[in-house]
Amino acid sequence: MTSAPAFSTDFDPQTGRPVAAAPGLVRLTAPNASPYTFTGTNTFLLGEGSVAILDPGPDSNEHLNAILDTVAGRPVEAILLTHTHKDHSSLVPKLREATGAPVWFGGRHRLSRPLRPFEINTLSRSCDWDLVPDRVVTHGERVSIDKLALEVIATPGHCANHLAFGLVGTPHLLTGDHIMGWNSTLVAVPDGSMRDYFTSLDRVIATPYRHYHPAHGGPIADGPAYARALKGHREARNMQIVAAVEDGARTIMAVVTRIYPQQSLAIRHAAAMTVRAHAEYLADLGALRMRRTLFGTRLLPA
C-alpha cells in the first residue's frame, strides 16, 4: 500500500536572499506568504554566465530588486513561467522591462473545460488572463540556458497551461504548483481538472528526475515516492467522497463537513473547490452522479 504523503512545513525561505538549490540553480523566495502560498512564491534563477528566471512571482518592487541584485548584470535569456496564476506571473511586466528578456510559457491562461451555464470560475481573479507569451513552449521541447538544457513537461491539472521543467542530465525537476511538499495542490474546476492532475502525476513519476523543487516550500528529496503518495492520497479522497454520498451527503459542503469536520471556514472553502473537482472526476467515471440545477449541485449515488 502507498504511504500517505508526509507534508513538511519545516522550511526556512530566507525571503529575499539567494539560496543555492543545486549547481546552476538559485532560489529566491518572494515576500508574499499567505495560507495559499505558504512562505511565498519561489523564484528560480537558472544558469551562471547568463540566466533564465522562472516564476518571477507577485508584483513586488522588493522582490524585483532582489531578483535584479541576484542577476547582477548578467544577460537574462528568458523569463519562464510554470503557469499563469498571479502569484507567479504578476511581476513579469516590470521584470521584462528591466531586463529586456522574452517571456516563455505554455500559452495564454485558459480553462481546463468551458464554463457551464450559470457557473463561475472561482479562481478568475487569481488568473493572469492578459499575459501573452513571446514564445509558447510545449511538452517534450528542450531549451538551452547558459550550459543547462531544460526539458519542458506538460503538467496540467492545477491549471490548463501548467508546466514543469527538468534539468536534463541531473536529478532536478522544477515542479511549480503541481507537486509541493508543504501541502496538497489546489485543483479547482473549471480552472483546473482532477483527471488532468492524475495524468500529470503519472507523467512526472515516469521521468528520470528524482529531486523536486516546488514553487512554494522546500525541496522534496525523493520526488517520485512523494508523488506516488500524493496520488494515493487523492485516490483515498475519491473513496471518502463516494462513501459520503452513499451515506446521504447531497451537496459539496455536506461532503466537506464530513471529511474536514475540524477545519476552519477558510480551509473548508479551499477544500470545497478541490472536493468539487474530485466529484466531477468521479461523475465522469460513473462512480457517482452530479445533478446541476439553478440552486446548486446535487450529489447522488451512482
Side-chain angles (χ1 to χ4, degrees), residues 5 40 109 125 135 160 174 187 189 202 204 213 237 239 252 265 274 292:
H109 197 88
R125 292 184 179 181
R135 173 179 171 182
L174 299 158
V187 179
V189 293
D202 287 337
V204 167
H213 299 269
R237 187 71 76 224
M239 294 173 64
I252 297 296
L265 286 177
T274 294
R292 298 172 181 87

Side-chain angles (χ1 to χ4, degrees), residues 6 17 21 27 48 71 74 83 86 98 103 138 172-173 185 189 192 196 199 210 220 252 259 287 289:
R17 296 182 179 181
R27 185 185 68 237
E48 295 177 349
V71 170
R74 290 174 291 175
H83 64 296
K86 289 180 179 178
V103 184
T138 58
H172 302 289
L173 180 70
T185 296
V189 293
D196 289 348
T199 299
R210 293 292 176 265
I220 303 167
I252 297 296
I259 296 176
R289 291 179 291 150

Side-chain angles (χ1 to χ4, degrees), residues 185-204:
T185 296
L186 175 66
V187 179
V189 293
D191 196 63
S193 161
M194 192 61 69
R195 180 183 293 275
D196 289 348
Y197 188 76
F198 274 114
T199 299
S200 295
L201 280 177
D202 287 337
R203 175 174 286 166
V204 167

Side-chain angles (χ1 to χ4, degrees), residues 79-101:
I79 298 167
L80 304 171
L81 293 173
T82 57
H83 64 296
T84 45
H85 285 154
K86 289 180 179 178
D87 59 313
H88 294 249
S89 62
S90 289
L91 193 58
V92 165
K94 289 181 179 178
L95 187 60
R96 178 162 46 188
E97 182 179 1
T99 63

